Amino acid sequence: MERMTAGQIAEAVGGRLLCGEGDIPVTDICTDSRLIKAGDLYVPVRGGRVDGHRFMAGAFAAGAATSFTSEHDTAEELEDVWKETGRTKDRHPAVIRVEDTISALQKLGKYCRNRLGIPFVGVTGSVGKTSTRAMIATALSSGLHTFQTAGNANSQVGVPITLSRIGEEYEAAVIELGMSQPGEMTRIASIAGLHVAVITNIGISHIEQLGSQVNILREKLHIMDGMREDGVLILNGDDPLLKPGADIGTDELAACVGRYEIRTYGLGEHNDYRASQVKVQDGRTVFRLCCPTERSGEKGEPYPGGELTVSLPAVGLHHVRNALAALACAGVMGLSIPDAAKALENFRGVAHRQEWVKLPALGISVIDDAYNASPDSMKAAFTALSMAQSQGRKMAVLADMWELGPETKRYHYEVGKALGETDVSLLATVGQLAGEIARGARETNPDLTVRCFEDRFLAGEWVMGQCREGDLVLFKGSNGEKLFEVVEKWKAMDKTETGL
């Protein structure tokens, strides 16, 4: 956060300073009292089980300069807080009274956004938001100093905090926007004020809360709320629910086509940015890009349409689509497509999202895709595993997928059937739901070696015992299943073997 004081924050959010001086400088925002740094604004969040107001004293003791409150109306009501911190009345920090702390945080995020005159790209979708966001930032960095969301701070709390951290030195920003409940996308998109909006796909993640894919589509399309009048909407044209003109049972997409410029990307010939001749060479995915001529920008002439070879340091068709989205963003923002493609040659993936890990002492390699999972992302991971070149066998450790609603067993079973159609020779599942993955895989491929576990570490020990030189192992499951901890254990074992 740049050059803001408690008084400026109070004015920006329509709050009232209960105590403390208005000129107290604020350097960052934090919602977790355990992570407070000196100079932070503490935002106490009321959750289903915990009320952050209970931890105000701890936040101040840790160095918070300012805090919101929706619980206290007067300075006198804060006496118990000061007693806990050991501060005197003359030394306590600023406290800003607001009606709702989350709403105030969002107002502050919008205030910070409006102080920036740079183009914003927003990314949403059921699968692949984070990887696509990272690829877009890489492509745009070929011509613009580009900020991107850190980690997965894509919620109605994370987005305003992200916006507050964009410094004046940046020339563009790529932010991730997520949602799991109706209304969330409207709130965060209205704050972001996008110039370019990207929707990666419409899957079934969060279908438990939203009820249907059409409802998910409707919510995702709210990414355009607050978008600039000359904004551009970039869609995965291979997705049946995002293809303009498709029979999707809703009028929202058709309305968007009439309001904004549209670009589509994908493997189909109807797409504006499309890939052909996709192949894997030495662990890289290579394809031919065909794209239109775009308007030129301040940073140089764009690629004047036609074809171009693109090489990615990753394997999988989903990475090809992510790269196409990134190149489309570069194109509509007037950047050089060849320069953007060159930047993607050195793209670095995101931790635990199809992260390739070589374990030389153990003689094997791992695809760590353990951050999250849905049926669509599982199947994409299987495609990547099938395309990957390996000197040994291919194996998979798969865990439960969460938030899939009443059809969750069927989705797991179908994922298992999809795995059974690949060249994977060994499968370990973790969790009761993942047992349906095992059932589907066995029925499709009776020769597949399968074991089911409830404990992820026991599954890891069994798979490690089966591994031979040159084998490749995929780890994937919902983040709460924590398969990445097994990967980290394998990394530690490899270091021990090498004496590091």
Side-chain angles (χ1 to χ4, degrees):
M1 179 178 290
E2 294 193 350
R3 299 191 301 277
M4 289 202 74
T5 65
Q8 289 175 319
I9 291 173
E11 183 178 357
V13 304
R16 176 166 53 92
L17 204 61
L18 292 184
C19 58
E21 299 299 325
D23 61 355
I24 293 175
V26 177
T27 55
D28 201 359
I29 303 172
C30 186
T31 61
D32 189 334
S33 62
R34 298 166 297 182
L35 303 177
I36 286 288
K37 307 178 299 298
D40 280 356
L41 163 66
Y42 175 57
V43 180
V45 176
R46 280 198 174 102
R49 293 178 297 175
V50 178
D51 182 352
H53 288 88
R54 304 282 77 80
F55 307 106
M56 284 179 64
F60 285 131
T66 310
S67 176
F68 287 153
T69 182
S70 60
E71 186 172 285
H72 307 89
D73 291 312
T74 65
E76 288 71 27
E77 292 178 15
L78 292 161
E79 290 300 323
D80 289 343
V81 173
W82 308 134
K83 286 178 183 178
E84 283 189 57
T85 62
R87 294 175 182 263
T88 67
K89 290 183 179 180
D90 298 331
R91 295 175 53 244
H92 59 62
V95 178
I96 301 169
R97 163 68 189 184
V98 297
E99 290 301 314
D100 179 88
T101 57
I102 297 300
S103 177
L105 174 61
Q106 292 167 354
K107 289 178 181 177
L108 180 57
K110 189 167 186 176
Y111 173 84
C112 293
R113 164 67 183 95
N114 289 339
R115 296 204 303 176
L116 298 164
I118 62 176
F120 271 67
V121 177
V123 184
T124 194
S126 297
V127 177
K129 291 185 295 294
T130 301
S131 297
T132 303
R133 176 256 296 166
M135 275 206 183
I136 293 171
T138 299
L140 298 189
S141 294
S142 65
L144 299 167
H145 185 34
T146 303
F147 175 94
Q148 66 169 309
T149 299
N152 65 332
N154 61 15
S155 67
Q156 57 181 320
V157 171
V159 168
I161 293 176
T162 293
L163 295 174
S164 75
R165 292 174 176 169
I166 304 175
E168 294 179 351
E169 70 273 19
Y170 289 102
E171 298 173 297
V174 184
I175 61 173
E176 185 177 323
L177 292 85
M179 44 71 63
S180 58
Q181 300 288 345
E184 283 186 277
M185 184 60 70
T186 289
R187 286 190 286 273
I188 56 178
S190 298
I191 295 169
L194 302 175
H195 295 79
V196 179
V198 179
I199 305 181
T200 62
N201 45 57
I202 304 298
I204 59 174
S205 298
H206 308 303
I207 201 168
E208 186 173 13
Q209 291 82 11
L210 294 164
S212 71
Q213 280 187 286
V214 169
N215 286 342
I216 293 171
L217 169 64
R218 290 185 176 122
E219 287 297 321
K220 296 294 186 185
L221 287 173
H222 282 293
I223 191 174
M224 289 170 292
D225 290 355
M227 194 157 85
R228 306 304 164 100
E229 290 185 2
D230 60 347
V232 181
L233 177 61
I234 297 177
L235 303 172
N236 175 358
D238 290 344
D239 189 297
L241 292 178
L242 291 174
K243 182 179 179 180
D247 181 14
I248 57 175
T250 181
D251 296 329
E252 280 86 344
L253 185 57
C256 296
V257 172
R259 289 170 57 198
Y260 298 105
E261 285 190 58
I262 305 290
R263 299 290 186 278
T264 59
Y265 66 89
L267 305 181
E269 292 187 0
H270 61 278
N271 290 296
D272 299 311
Y273 287 78
R274 67 181 184 271
S276 63
Q277 303 176 40
V278 181
K279 54 189 175 182
V280 175
Q281 294 179 337
D282 298 324
R284 302 178 70 89
T285 303
V286 180
F287 65 91
R288 291 288 293 174
L289 167 71
C290 181
C291 66
T293 299
E294 298 282 8
R295 58 181 179 266
S296 62
E298 296 179 359
K299 292 296 178 178
E301 290 298 319
Y303 185 63
E307 294 191 0
L308 178 72
T309 298
V310 181
S311 175
L312 304 174
V315 175
L317 293 178
H318 59 297
H319 287 303
V320 173
R321 291 190 175 93
N322 295 346
L324 291 171
L327 294 167
C329 285
V332 301
M333 292 177 66
L335 299 181
S336 163
I337 297 294
D339 288 351
K342 186 71 174 177
L344 290 177
E345 290 182 4
N346 299 311
F347 171 73
R348 292 185 177 182
V350 183
H352 309 306
R353 291 174 173 87
Q354 286 238 331
E355 183 181 11
W356 285 59
V357 181
K358 291 185 178 181
L359 303 176
L362 299 176
I364 61 175
S365 296
V366 165
I367 302 176
D368 179 2
D369 201 10
Y371 180 79
N372 221 333
S374 69
D376 290 334
S377 67
M378 281 278 197
K379 292 170 185 176
F382 301 162
T383 300
L385 187 60
S386 295
M387 293 176 68
Q389 297 169 330
S390 174
Q391 295 178 345
R393 299 165 299 165
K394 295 175 182 178
M395 307 178 179
V397 182
L398 307 178
D400 290 354
M401 299 177 288
W402 294 8
E403 298 183 340
L404 297 181
E407 295 294 312
T408 186
K409 286 188 176 180
R410 177 173 67 84
Y411 291 135
H412 282 79
Y413 174 75
E414 290 175 352
V415 162
K417 290 182 70 67
L419 179 77
E421 294 173 353
T422 70
D423 56 350
V424 170
S425 60
L426 181 145
L427 167 66
T429 66
V430 179
Q432 291 186 351
L433 291 172
E436 289 296 301
I437 297 177
R439 185 169 72 89
R442 282 193 186 104
E443 289 183 9
T444 305
N445 181 6
D447 295 328
L448 182 67
T449 301
V450 182
R451 286 283 298 273
C452 299
F453 298 86
E454 289 299 317
D455 183 279
R456 59 188 177 277
F457 292 108
L458 290 179
E461 289 176 10
W462 179 73
V463 173
M464 178 60 74
Q466 305 297 314
C467 282
R468 299 197 294 261
E469 185 79 22
D471 287 347
L472 176 62
V473 186
L474 166 69
F475 283 83
K476 190 163 183 63
S478 282
N479 193 44
E481 297 294 330
K482 299 182 179 180
L483 287 184
F484 58 85
E485 292 183 350
V486 181
V487 177
E488 294 303 320
K489 184 175 180 179
W490 284 21
K491 289 179 182 178
M493 291 169 59
D494 191 71
K495 287 185 178 180
T496 300
E497 290 290 329
T498 58
L500 296 177

